[in-house]
Amino acid sequence: MLSVIVPAHNEASVLSHTLSSLCEQLAPEDELIVVCDTCQDISVDIARTFTCHVYDERLGSAAQTRNFGAQKATKDVLVFIDADTHCAKNYVAAIKRSMRGGTEYGCAPLKSESGHWLGEWIAKSINRFNYTHRTFGGNCFVSTHLFKQLAGFNEALMKGEDTDLGERLCKLKARYGWLAQSYIVHNERKFKEQGYIRYFSKLWLESVLWQVAPSVYQRVVGVKG
């Protein structure tokens, strides 16, 4: 039923944790696809210990990497999981239950990895944004039919291609699913490297720009230079 697609760029330090949490949940009829984009570490070797569907490519952006994985997928539902994300034990089951109930796309709430109050605050803010706007970040699911109808992720965008796809699905009036009984835990290394307040401020400003002036957002933040 599911094609789970994991894009990876030099993710050797976290990839095993992510893939093991997924493999524990996948049924024989599901497939796991890992697309290693311009990796200079052992991400490819690690991925091959979990699945035979591993591609070592030179693509250059998250949108291209995800679309490449979708092209290789054979199932009715596409699930995109970032390589540094740990999924709740009921994540895959929650997606299947939601899709069987008529959902066409959606995501699960984000939980803080550190439990730090700023990490919790960021997670709640991202969840509120996704739920309110019926969109998602890099961790999401969508019917293969709708994904192809919308031509997948916008490869002209270097950033925000995930939110852009969610927005287009919402405008199409596709049925949105919020997996309130499940969750994902995203690695907070970017928060730690850049500082929680600085990183959150950047996300907040980008989200405001995306809502108020989407054309400016794409020109300033997202479009390839």
Side-chain angles (χ1 to χ4, degrees), residues 114-151:
S114 65
H116 188 282
W117 72 269
L118 277 172
E120 296 281 0
W121 182 39
I122 290 171
K124 288 180 181 179
S125 298
I126 292 173
N127 291 337
R128 188 181 306 111
F129 180 87
N130 287 340
Y131 183 80
T132 301
H133 296 281
R134 295 183 175 272
T135 187
F136 43 62
N139 303 289
C140 59
F141 62 93
V142 57
S143 76
T144 301
H145 170 72
L146 281 182
F147 186 85
K148 290 181 177 179
Q149 181 179 331
L150 293 176

PDB file of all heavy atoms in Angstrom, residues 114-151:
ATOM      1  N   SER A 114      14.606  17.275  22.057  1.00  0.00           N
ATOM      2  CA  SER A 114      15.334  17.586  23.286  1.00  0.00           C
ATOM      3  C   SER A 114      14.439  17.727  24.505  1.00  0.00           C
ATOM      4  O   SER A 114      14.873  17.506  25.637  1.00  0.00           O
ATOM      5  CB  SER A 114      16.110  18.896  23.101  1.00  0.00           C
ATOM      6  OG  SER A 114      15.210  19.984  22.921  1.00  0.00           O
ATOM      7  N   GLY A 115      13.180  18.115  24.286  1.00  0.00           N
ATOM      8  CA  GLY A 115      12.301  18.414  25.405  1.00  0.00           C
ATOM      9  C   GLY A 115      12.578  19.790  26.000  1.00  0.00           C
ATOM     10  O   GLY A 115      11.915  20.216  26.941  1.00  0.00           O
ATOM     11  N   HIS A 116      13.552  20.502  25.430  1.00  0.00           N
ATOM     12  CA  HIS A 116      13.863  21.870  25.849  1.00  0.00           C
ATOM     13  C   HIS A 116      12.636  22.740  25.576  1.00  0.00           C
ATOM     14  O   HIS A 116      11.918  22.545  24.600  1.00  0.00           O
ATOM     15  CB  HIS A 116      15.066  22.368  25.042  1.00  0.00           C
ATOM     16  CG  HIS A 116      15.620  23.678  25.502  1.00  0.00           C
ATOM     17  ND1 HIS A 116      15.027  24.880  25.191  1.00  0.00           N
ATOM     18  CD2 HIS A 116      16.725  23.972  26.230  1.00  0.00           C
ATOM     19  CE1 HIS A 116      15.742  25.872  25.707  1.00  0.00           C
ATOM     20  NE2 HIS A 116      16.770  25.344  26.349  1.00  0.00           N
ATOM     21  N   TRP A 117      12.396  23.722  26.445  1.00  0.00           N
ATOM     22  CA  TRP A 117      11.171  24.512  26.284  1.00  0.00           C
ATOM     23  C   TRP A 117      11.135  25.246  24.958  1.00  0.00           C
ATOM     24  O   TRP A 117      10.051  25.400  24.352  1.00  0.00           O
ATOM     25  CB  TRP A 117      10.997  25.486  27.448  1.00  0.00           C
ATOM     26  CG  TRP A 117      11.954  26.659  27.473  1.00  0.00           C
ATOM     27  CD1 TRP A 117      13.153  26.709  28.095  1.00  0.00           C
ATOM     28  CD2 TRP A 117      11.760  27.935  26.852  1.00  0.00           C
ATOM     29  NE1 TRP A 117      13.738  27.945  27.898  1.00  0.00           N
ATOM     30  CE2 TRP A 117      12.904  28.719  27.142  1.00  0.00           C
ATOM     31  CE3 TRP A 117      10.749  28.496  26.079  1.00  0.00           C
ATOM     32  CZ2 TRP A 117      13.055  30.022  26.680  1.00  0.00           C
ATOM     33  CZ3 TRP A 117      10.891  29.803  25.619  1.00  0.00           C
ATOM     34  CH2 TRP A 117      12.033  30.549  25.923  1.00  0.00           C
ATOM     35  N   LEU A 118      12.305  25.646  24.446  1.00  0.00           N
ATOM     36  CA  LEU A 118      12.304  26.301  23.138  1.00  0.00           C
ATOM     37  C   LEU A 118      12.026  25.294  22.026  1.00  0.00           C
ATOM     38  O   LEU A 118      11.349  25.605  21.045  1.00  0.00           O
ATOM     39  CB  LEU A 118      13.655  26.994  22.903  1.00  0.00           C
ATOM     40  CG  LEU A 118      13.798  28.391  23.517  1.00  0.00           C
ATOM     41  CD1 LEU A 118      15.232  28.880  23.374  1.00  0.00           C
ATOM     42  CD2 LEU A 118      12.836  29.365  22.849  1.00  0.00           C
ATOM     43  N   GLY A 119      12.556  24.078  22.191  1.00  0.00           N
ATOM     44  CA  GLY A 119      12.263  23.026  21.218  1.00  0.00           C
ATOM     45  C   GLY A 119      10.779  22.700  21.199  1.00  0.00           C
ATOM     46  O   GLY A 119      10.180  22.511  20.129  1.00  0.00           O
ATOM     47  N   GLU A 120      10.157  22.646  22.393  1.00  0.00           N
ATOM     48  CA  GLU A 120       8.724  22.383  22.493  1.00  0.00           C
ATOM     49  C   GLU A 120       7.923  23.515  21.851  1.00  0.00           C
ATOM     50  O   GLU A 120       6.919  23.277  21.169  1.00  0.00           O
ATOM     51  CB  GLU A 120       8.326  22.231  23.962  1.00  0.00           C
ATOM     52  CG  GLU A 120       8.945  21.047  24.683  1.00  0.00           C
ATOM     53  CD  GLU A 120       8.249  19.738  24.362  1.00  0.00           C
ATOM     54  OE1 GLU A 120       7.284  19.760  23.571  1.00  0.00           O
ATOM     55  OE2 GLU A 120       8.671  18.705  24.898  1.00  0.00           O
ATOM     56  N   TRP A 121       8.368  24.721  22.073  1.00  0.00           N
ATOM     57  CA  TRP A 121       7.682  25.892  21.539  1.00  0.00           C
ATOM     58  C   TRP A 121       7.731  25.892  20.013  1.00  0.00           C
ATOM     59  O   TRP A 121       6.720  26.142  19.340  1.00  0.00           O
ATOM     60  CB  TRP A 121       8.345  27.154  22.105  1.00  0.00           C
ATOM     61  CG  TRP A 121       7.717  28.440  21.679  1.00  0.00           C
ATOM     62  CD1 TRP A 121       6.384  28.703  21.528  1.00  0.00           C
ATOM     63  CD2 TRP A 121       8.401  29.653  21.350  1.00  0.00           C
ATOM     64  NE1 TRP A 121       6.198  30.007  21.139  1.00  0.00           N
ATOM     65  CE2 TRP A 121       7.418  30.622  21.024  1.00  0.00           C
ATOM     66  CE3 TRP A 121       9.745  30.022  21.325  1.00  0.00           C
ATOM     67  CZ2 TRP A 121       7.742  31.914  20.650  1.00  0.00           C
ATOM     68  CZ3 TRP A 121      10.070  31.326  20.957  1.00  0.00           C
ATOM     69  CH2 TRP A 121       9.089  32.261  20.625  1.00  0.00           C
ATOM     70  N   ILE A 122       8.899  25.581  19.463  1.00  0.00           N
ATOM     71  CA  ILE A 122       9.055  25.523  18.010  1.00  0.00           C
ATOM     72  C   ILE A 122       8.161  24.434  17.430  1.00  0.00           C
ATOM     73  O   ILE A 122       7.460  24.650  16.426  1.00  0.00           O
ATOM     74  CB  ILE A 122      10.525  25.286  17.631  1.00  0.00           C
ATOM     75  CG1 ILE A 122      11.361  26.532  17.959  1.00  0.00           C
ATOM     76  CG2 ILE A 122      10.667  24.946  16.143  1.00  0.00           C
ATOM     77  CD1 ILE A 122      12.859  26.327  17.833  1.00  0.00           C
ATOM     78  N   ALA A 123       8.166  23.262  18.064  1.00  0.00           N
ATOM     79  CA  ALA A 123       7.346  22.155  17.569  1.00  0.00           C
ATOM     80  C   ALA A 123       5.863  22.529  17.573  1.00  0.00           C
ATOM     81  O   ALA A 123       5.141  22.289  16.590  1.00  0.00           O
ATOM     82  CB  ALA A 123       7.578  20.908  18.421  1.00  0.00           C
ATOM     83  N   LYS A 124       5.391  23.135  18.659  1.00  0.00           N
ATOM     84  CA  LYS A 124       3.987  23.530  18.741  1.00  0.00           C
ATOM     85  C   LYS A 124       3.641  24.588  17.693  1.00  0.00           C
ATOM     86  O   LYS A 124       2.549  24.555  17.110  1.00  0.00           O
ATOM     87  CB  LYS A 124       3.682  24.060  20.146  1.00  0.00           C
ATOM     88  CG  LYS A 124       3.643  22.978  21.212  1.00  0.00           C
ATOM     89  CD  LYS A 124       3.331  23.555  22.583  1.00  0.00           C
ATOM     90  CE  LYS A 124       3.315  22.459  23.643  1.00  0.00           C
ATOM     91  NZ  LYS A 124       3.042  23.013  24.999  1.00  0.00           N
ATOM     92  N   SER A 125       4.564  25.500  17.437  1.00  0.00           N
ATOM     93  CA  SER A 125       4.321  26.545  16.443  1.00  0.00           C
ATOM     94  C   SER A 125       4.233  25.957  15.032  1.00  0.00           C
ATOM     95  O   SER A 125       3.372  26.332  14.240  1.00  0.00           O
ATOM     96  CB  SER A 125       5.442  27.588  16.494  1.00  0.00           C
ATOM     97  OG  SER A 125       5.483  28.226  17.749  1.00  0.00           O
ATOM     98  N   ILE A 126       5.130  25.025  14.735  1.00  0.00           N
ATOM     99  CA  ILE A 126       5.101  24.358  13.425  1.00  0.00           C
ATOM    100  C   ILE A 126       3.822  23.548  13.272  1.00  0.00           C
ATOM    101  O   ILE A 126       3.169  23.573  12.219  1.00  0.00           O
ATOM    102  CB  ILE A 126       6.342  23.466  13.244  1.00  0.00           C
ATOM    103  CG1 ILE A 126       7.602  24.341  13.141  1.00  0.00           C
ATOM    104  CG2 ILE A 126       6.207  22.583  12.010  1.00  0.00           C
ATOM    105  CD1 ILE A 126       8.895  23.552  13.132  1.00  0.00           C
ATOM    106  N   ASN A 127       3.433  22.834  14.330  1.00  0.00           N
ATOM    107  CA  ASN A 127       2.203  22.050  14.279  1.00  0.00           C
ATOM    108  C   ASN A 127       0.980  22.928  14.058  1.00  0.00           C
ATOM    109  O   ASN A 127       0.082  22.588  13.282  1.00  0.00           O
ATOM    110  CB  ASN A 127       2.037  21.258  15.576  1.00  0.00           C
ATOM    111  CG  ASN A 127       3.055  20.145  15.713  1.00  0.00           C
ATOM    112  OD1 ASN A 127       3.610  19.670  14.723  1.00  0.00           O
ATOM    113  ND2 ASN A 127       3.312  19.723  16.941  1.00  0.00           N
ATOM    114  N   ARG A 128       0.941  24.060  14.767  1.00  0.00           N
ATOM    115  CA  ARG A 128      -0.185  24.986  14.620  1.00  0.00           C
ATOM    116  C   ARG A 128      -0.266  25.509  13.192  1.00  0.00           C
ATOM    117  O   ARG A 128      -1.350  25.592  12.592  1.00  0.00           O
ATOM    118  CB  ARG A 128      -0.037  26.155  15.600  1.00  0.00           C
ATOM    119  CG  ARG A 128      -1.261  27.064  15.653  1.00  0.00           C
ATOM    120  CD  ARG A 128      -1.055  28.215  16.619  1.00  0.00           C
ATOM    121  NE  ARG A 128      -0.679  27.763  17.945  1.00  0.00           N
ATOM    122  CZ  ARG A 128       0.526  27.940  18.490  1.00  0.00           C
ATOM    123  NH1 ARG A 128       1.476  28.583  17.818  1.00  0.00           N
ATOM    124  NH2 ARG A 128       0.781  27.504  19.698  1.00  0.00           N
ATOM    125  N   PHE A 129       0.898  25.834  12.621  1.00  0.00           N
ATOM    126  CA  PHE A 129       0.935  26.342  11.243  1.00  0.00           C
ATOM    127  C   PHE A 129       0.444  25.278  10.264  1.00  0.00           C
ATOM    128  O   PHE A 129      -0.407  25.543   9.406  1.00  0.00           O
ATOM    129  CB  PHE A 129       2.366  26.760  10.892  1.00  0.00           C
ATOM    130  CG  PHE A 129       2.518  27.289   9.490  1.00  0.00           C
ATOM    131  CD1 PHE A 129       2.299  28.622   9.208  1.00  0.00           C
ATOM    132  CD2 PHE A 129       2.883  26.440   8.445  1.00  0.00           C
ATOM    133  CE1 PHE A 129       2.430  29.111   7.919  1.00  0.00           C
ATOM    134  CE2 PHE A 129       3.025  26.917   7.156  1.00  0.00           C
ATOM    135  CZ  PHE A 129       2.796  28.254   6.892  1.00  0.00           C
ATOM    136  N   ASN A 130       0.980  24.062  10.388  1.00  0.00           N
ATOM    137  CA  ASN A 130       0.595  22.993   9.463  1.00  0.00           C
ATOM    138  C   ASN A 130      -0.891  22.674   9.561  1.00  0.00           C
ATOM    139  O   ASN A 130      -1.571  22.522   8.536  1.00  0.00           O
ATOM    140  CB  ASN A 130       1.419  21.731   9.743  1.00  0.00           C
ATOM    141  CG  ASN A 130       2.856  21.853   9.278  1.00  0.00           C
ATOM    142  OD1 ASN A 130       3.191  22.690   8.445  1.00  0.00           O
ATOM    143  ND2 ASN A 130       3.727  21.023   9.824  1.00  0.00           N
ATOM    144  N   TYR A 131      -1.391  22.553  10.783  1.00  0.00           N
ATOM    145  CA  TYR A 131      -2.794  22.202  10.985  1.00  0.00           C
ATOM    146  C   TYR A 131      -3.723  23.308  10.478  1.00  0.00           C
ATOM    147  O   TYR A 131      -4.717  23.039   9.800  1.00  0.00           O
ATOM    148  CB  TYR A 131      -3.051  21.937  12.464  1.00  0.00           C
ATOM    149  CG  TYR A 131      -4.467  21.506  12.767  1.00  0.00           C
ATOM    150  CD1 TYR A 131      -4.859  20.191  12.564  1.00  0.00           C
ATOM    151  CD2 TYR A 131      -5.401  22.419  13.264  1.00  0.00           C
ATOM    152  CE1 TYR A 131      -6.163  19.793  12.839  1.00  0.00           C
ATOM    153  CE2 TYR A 131      -6.698  22.031  13.544  1.00  0.00           C
ATOM    154  CZ  TYR A 131      -7.069  20.717  13.323  1.00  0.00           C
ATOM    155  OH  TYR A 131      -8.363  20.338  13.592  1.00  0.00           O
ATOM    156  N   THR A 132      -3.387  24.552  10.788  1.00  0.00           N
ATOM    157  CA  THR A 132      -4.231  25.687  10.389  1.00  0.00           C
ATOM    158  C   THR A 132      -4.296  25.841   8.880  1.00  0.00           C
ATOM    159  O   THR A 132      -5.364  26.079   8.304  1.00  0.00           O
ATOM    160  CB  THR A 132      -3.711  26.994  11.018  1.00  0.00           C
ATOM    161  OG1 THR A 132      -3.714  26.875  12.435  1.00  0.00           O
ATOM    162  CG2 THR A 132      -4.575  28.179  10.592  1.00  0.00           C
ATOM    163  N   HIS A 133      -3.147  25.700   8.227  1.00  0.00           N
ATOM    164  CA  HIS A 133      -3.078  25.913   6.777  1.00  0.00           C
ATOM    165  C   HIS A 133      -3.241  24.623   5.982  1.00  0.00           C
ATOM    166  O   HIS A 133      -3.140  24.639   4.757  1.00  0.00           O
ATOM    167  CB  HIS A 133      -1.756  26.589   6.418  1.00  0.00           C
ATOM    168  CG  HIS A 133      -1.616  27.966   6.991  1.00  0.00           C
ATOM    169  ND1 HIS A 133      -2.219  29.071   6.428  1.00  0.00           N
ATOM    170  CD2 HIS A 133      -0.971  28.421   8.098  1.00  0.00           C
ATOM    171  CE1 HIS A 133      -1.943  30.142   7.144  1.00  0.00           C
ATOM    172  NE2 HIS A 133      -1.192  29.775   8.169  1.00  0.00           N
ATOM    173  N   ARG A 134      -3.480  23.524   6.663  1.00  0.00           N
ATOM    174  CA  ARG A 134      -3.657  22.225   6.015  1.00  0.00           C
ATOM    175  C   ARG A 134      -2.505  21.914   5.060  1.00  0.00           C
ATOM    176  O   ARG A 134      -2.712  21.565   3.886  1.00  0.00           O
ATOM    177  CB  ARG A 134      -5.014  22.167   5.292  1.00  0.00           C
ATOM    178  CG  ARG A 134      -6.186  22.249   6.251  1.00  0.00           C
ATOM    179  CD  ARG A 134      -7.531  22.129   5.567  1.00  0.00           C
ATOM    180  NE  ARG A 134      -8.601  22.092   6.557  1.00  0.00           N
ATOM    181  CZ  ARG A 134      -9.056  20.998   7.151  1.00  0.00           C
ATOM    182  NH1 ARG A 134      -8.510  19.843   6.861  1.00  0.00           N
ATOM    183  NH2 ARG A 134     -10.020  21.059   8.042  1.00  0.00           N
ATOM    184  N   THR A 135      -1.326  22.056   5.596  1.00  0.00           N
ATOM    185  CA  THR A 135      -0.128  21.799   4.812  1.00  0.00           C
ATOM    186  C   THR A 135       0.809  20.931   5.642  1.00  0.00           C
ATOM    187  O   THR A 135       0.394  20.319   6.622  1.00  0.00           O
ATOM    188  CB  THR A 135       0.538  23.111   4.371  1.00  0.00           C
ATOM    189  OG1 THR A 135       1.617  22.829   3.472  1.00  0.00           O
ATOM    190  CG2 THR A 135       1.029  23.936   5.534  1.00  0.00           C
ATOM    191  N   PHE A 136       2.076  20.841   5.252  1.00  0.00           N
ATOM    192  CA  PHE A 136       3.017  19.991   5.960  1.00  0.00           C
ATOM    193  C   PHE A 136       4.446  20.411   5.671  1.00  0.00           C
ATOM    194  O   PHE A 136       4.711  21.238   4.804  1.00  0.00           O
ATOM    195  CB  PHE A 136       2.829  18.521   5.561  1.00  0.00           C
ATOM    196  CG  PHE A 136       2.639  18.284   4.076  1.00  0.00           C
ATOM    197  CD1 PHE A 136       3.620  18.619   3.163  1.00  0.00           C
ATOM    198  CD2 PHE A 136       1.472  17.705   3.607  1.00  0.00           C
ATOM    199  CE1 PHE A 136       3.454  18.388   1.810  1.00  0.00           C
ATOM    200  CE2 PHE A 136       1.284  17.474   2.249  1.00  0.00           C
ATOM    201  CZ  PHE A 136       2.281  17.816   1.348  1.00  0.00           C
ATOM    202  N   GLY A 137       5.362  19.797   6.435  1.00  0.00           N
ATOM    203  CA  GLY A 137       6.785  19.972   6.171  1.00  0.00           C
ATOM    204  C   GLY A 137       7.291  18.782   5.375  1.00  0.00           C
ATOM    205  O   GLY A 137       6.532  18.117   4.671  1.00  0.00           O
ATOM    206  N   GLY A 138       8.572  18.462   5.515  1.00  0.00           N
ATOM    207  CA  GLY A 138       9.158  17.400   4.718  1.00  0.00           C
ATOM    208  C   GLY A 138       8.643  16.012   5.049  1.00  0.00           C
ATOM    209  O   GLY A 138       8.819  15.081   4.270  1.00  0.00           O
ATOM    210  N   ASN A 139       8.000  15.853   6.208  1.00  0.00           N
ATOM    211  CA  ASN A 139       7.450  14.566   6.607  1.00  0.00           C
ATOM    212  C   ASN A 139       5.946  14.580   6.372  1.00  0.00           C
ATOM    213  O   ASN A 139       5.209  15.277   7.060  1.00  0.00           O
ATOM    214  CB  ASN A 139       7.767  14.306   8.081  1.00  0.00           C
ATOM    215  CG  ASN A 139       9.259  14.357   8.339  1.00  0.00           C
ATOM    216  OD1 ASN A 139       9.982  13.465   7.934  1.00  0.00           O
ATOM    217  ND2 ASN A 139       9.718  15.427   8.995  1.00  0.00           N
ATOM    218  N   CYS A 140       5.506  13.814   5.380  1.00  0.00           N
ATOM    219  CA  CYS A 140       4.115  13.906   4.959  1.00  0.00           C
ATOM    220  C   CYS A 140       3.700  12.652   4.195  1.00  0.00           C
ATOM    221  O   CYS A 140       4.528  11.800   3.878  1.00  0.00           O
ATOM    222  CB  CYS A 140       3.924  15.138   4.076  1.00  0.00           C
ATOM    223  SG  CYS A 140       4.972  15.141   2.587  1.00  0.00           S
ATOM    224  N   PHE A 141       2.415  12.573   3.889  1.00  0.00           N
ATOM    225  CA  PHE A 141       1.915  11.495   3.040  1.00  0.00           C
ATOM    226  C   PHE A 141       0.877  12.052   2.066  1.00  0.00           C
ATOM    227  O   PHE A 141       0.200  13.044   2.353  1.00  0.00           O
ATOM    228  CB  PHE A 141       1.329  10.357   3.881  1.00  0.00           C
ATOM    229  CG  PHE A 141       0.151  10.745   4.737  1.00  0.00           C
ATOM    230  CD1 PHE A 141      -1.149  10.598   4.287  1.00  0.00           C
ATOM    231  CD2 PHE A 141       0.346  11.253   6.019  1.00  0.00           C
ATOM    232  CE1 PHE A 141      -2.237  10.952   5.074  1.00  0.00           C
ATOM    233  CE2 PHE A 141      -0.732  11.602   6.831  1.00  0.00           C
ATOM    234  CZ  PHE A 141      -2.029  11.458   6.354  1.00  0.00           C
ATOM    235  N   VAL A 142       0.764  11.428   0.896  1.00  0.00           N
ATOM    236  CA  VAL A 142      -0.143  11.907  -0.141  1.00  0.00           C
ATOM    237  C   VAL A 142      -0.455  10.758  -1.086  1.00  0.00           C
ATOM    238  O   VAL A 142       0.380   9.881  -1.317  1.00  0.00           O
ATOM    239  CB  VAL A 142       0.492  13.097  -0.907  1.00  0.00           C
ATOM    240  CG1 VAL A 142       1.831  12.707  -1.520  1.00  0.00           C
ATOM    241  CG2 VAL A 142      -0.447  13.629  -1.980  1.00  0.00           C
ATOM    242  N   SER A 143      -1.661  10.755  -1.619  1.00  0.00           N
ATOM    243  CA  SER A 143      -2.003   9.716  -2.579  1.00  0.00           C
ATOM    244  C   SER A 143      -1.139   9.889  -3.827  1.00  0.00           C
ATOM    245  O   SER A 143      -0.873  11.007  -4.272  1.00  0.00           O
ATOM    246  CB  SER A 143      -3.490   9.783  -2.945  1.00  0.00           C
ATOM    247  OG  SER A 143      -3.749  10.849  -3.832  1.00  0.00           O
ATOM    248  N   THR A 144      -0.702   8.790  -4.384  1.00  0.00           N
ATOM    249  CA  THR A 144       0.136   8.838  -5.588  1.00  0.00           C
ATOM    250  C   THR A 144      -0.602   9.520  -6.731  1.00  0.00           C
ATOM    251  O   THR A 144      -0.009  10.278  -7.509  1.00  0.00           O
ATOM    252  CB  THR A 144       0.546   7.418  -5.997  1.00  0.00           C
ATOM    253  OG1 THR A 144       1.260   6.808  -4.916  1.00  0.00           O
ATOM    254  CG2 THR A 144       1.430   7.429  -7.231  1.00  0.00           C
ATOM    255  N   HIS A 145      -1.895   9.281  -6.817  1.00  0.00           N
ATOM    256  CA  HIS A 145      -2.707   9.872  -7.890  1.00  0.00           C
ATOM    257  C   HIS A 145      -2.659  11.396  -7.842  1.00  0.00           C
ATOM    258  O   HIS A 145      -2.408  12.060  -8.858  1.00  0.00           O
ATOM    259  CB  HIS A 145      -4.152   9.387  -7.771  1.00  0.00           C
ATOM    260  CG  HIS A 145      -5.109  10.106  -8.665  1.00  0.00           C
ATOM    261  ND1 HIS A 145      -5.139   9.926 -10.033  1.00  0.00           N
ATOM    262  CD2 HIS A 145      -6.066  11.045  -8.385  1.00  0.00           C
ATOM    263  CE1 HIS A 145      -6.074  10.703 -10.562  1.00  0.00           C
ATOM    264  NE2 HIS A 145      -6.651  11.390  -9.586  1.00  0.00           N
ATOM    265  N   LEU A 146      -2.888  11.962  -6.659  1.00  0.00           N
ATOM    266  CA  LEU A 146      -2.875  13.416  -6.527  1.00  0.00           C
ATOM    267  C   LEU A 146      -1.474  13.982  -6.718  1.00  0.00           C
ATOM    268  O   LEU A 146      -1.297  15.063  -7.300  1.00  0.00           O
ATOM    269  CB  LEU A 146      -3.425  13.837  -5.166  1.00  0.00           C
ATOM    270  CG  LEU A 146      -4.936  13.827  -5.005  1.00  0.00           C
ATOM    271  CD1 LEU A 146      -5.320  14.306  -3.611  1.00  0.00           C
ATOM    272  CD2 LEU A 146      -5.607  14.691  -6.059  1.00  0.00           C
ATOM    273  N   PHE A 147      -0.482  13.277  -6.212  1.00  0.00           N
ATOM    274  CA  PHE A 147       0.905  13.725  -6.370  1.00  0.00           C
ATOM    275  C   PHE A 147       1.251  13.866  -7.846  1.00  0.00           C
ATOM    276  O   PHE A 147       1.835  14.872  -8.275  1.00  0.00           O
ATOM    277  CB  PHE A 147       1.844  12.715  -5.692  1.00  0.00           C
ATOM    278  CG  PHE A 147       3.280  13.138  -5.671  1.00  0.00           C
ATOM    279  CD1 PHE A 147       3.767  13.953  -4.669  1.00  0.00           C
ATOM    280  CD2 PHE A 147       4.165  12.704  -6.663  1.00  0.00           C
ATOM    281  CE1 PHE A 147       5.104  14.344  -4.645  1.00  0.00           C
ATOM    282  CE2 PHE A 147       5.495  13.075  -6.643  1.00  0.00           C
ATOM    283  CZ  PHE A 147       5.972  13.898  -5.641  1.00  0.00           C
ATOM    284  N   LYS A 148       0.876  12.886  -8.636  1.00  0.00           N
ATOM    285  CA  LYS A 148       1.148  12.940 -10.078  1.00  0.00           C
ATOM    286  C   LYS A 148       0.310  14.017 -10.759  1.00  0.00           C
ATOM    287  O   LYS A 148       0.774  14.692 -11.675  1.00  0.00           O
ATOM    288  CB  LYS A 148       0.876  11.579 -10.707  1.00  0.00           C
ATOM    289  CG  LYS A 148       1.879  10.510 -10.305  1.00  0.00           C
ATOM    290  CD  LYS A 148       1.564   9.181 -10.973  1.00  0.00           C
ATOM    291  CE  LYS A 148       2.611   8.131 -10.621  1.00  0.00           C
ATOM    292  NZ  LYS A 148       2.299   6.816 -11.249  1.00  0.00           N
ATOM    293  N   GLN A 149      -0.923  14.183 -10.294  1.00  0.00           N
ATOM    294  CA  GLN A 149      -1.802  15.205 -10.868  1.00  0.00           C
ATOM    295  C   GLN A 149      -1.203  16.604 -10.725  1.00  0.00           C
ATOM    296  O   GLN A 149      -1.322  17.446 -11.626  1.00  0.00           O
ATOM    297  CB  GLN A 149      -3.171  15.150 -10.197  1.00  0.00           C
ATOM    298  CG  GLN A 149      -4.182  16.161 -10.742  1.00  0.00           C
ATOM    299  CD  GLN A 149      -5.532  16.038 -10.060  1.00  0.00           C
ATOM    300  OE1 GLN A 149      -5.919  14.958  -9.609  1.00  0.00           O
ATOM    301  NE2 GLN A 149      -6.255  17.135  -9.981  1.00  0.00           N
ATOM    302  N   LEU A 150      -0.528  16.839  -9.592  1.00  0.00           N
ATOM    303  CA  LEU A 150       0.080  18.141  -9.322  1.00  0.00           C
ATOM    304  C   LEU A 150       1.544  18.206  -9.740  1.00  0.00           C
ATOM    305  O   LEU A 150       2.227  19.185  -9.461  1.00  0.00           O
ATOM    306  CB  LEU A 150      -0.050  18.473  -7.836  1.00  0.00           C
ATOM    307  CG  LEU A 150      -1.478  18.712  -7.333  1.00  0.00           C
ATOM    308  CD1 LEU A 150      -1.488  18.929  -5.829  1.00  0.00           C
ATOM    309  CD2 LEU A 150      -2.113  19.896  -8.043  1.00  0.00           C
ATOM    310  N   ALA A 151       2.024  17.157 -10.401  1.00  0.00           N
ATOM    311  CA  ALA A 151       3.412  17.090 -10.880  1.00  0.00           C
ATOM    312  C   ALA A 151       4.427  17.142  -9.738  1.00  0.00           C
ATOM    313  O   ALA A 151       5.539  17.623  -9.907  1.00  0.00           O
ATOM    314  CB  ALA A 151       3.689  18.203 -11.892  1.00  0.00           C
TER     315      ALA A 151
END
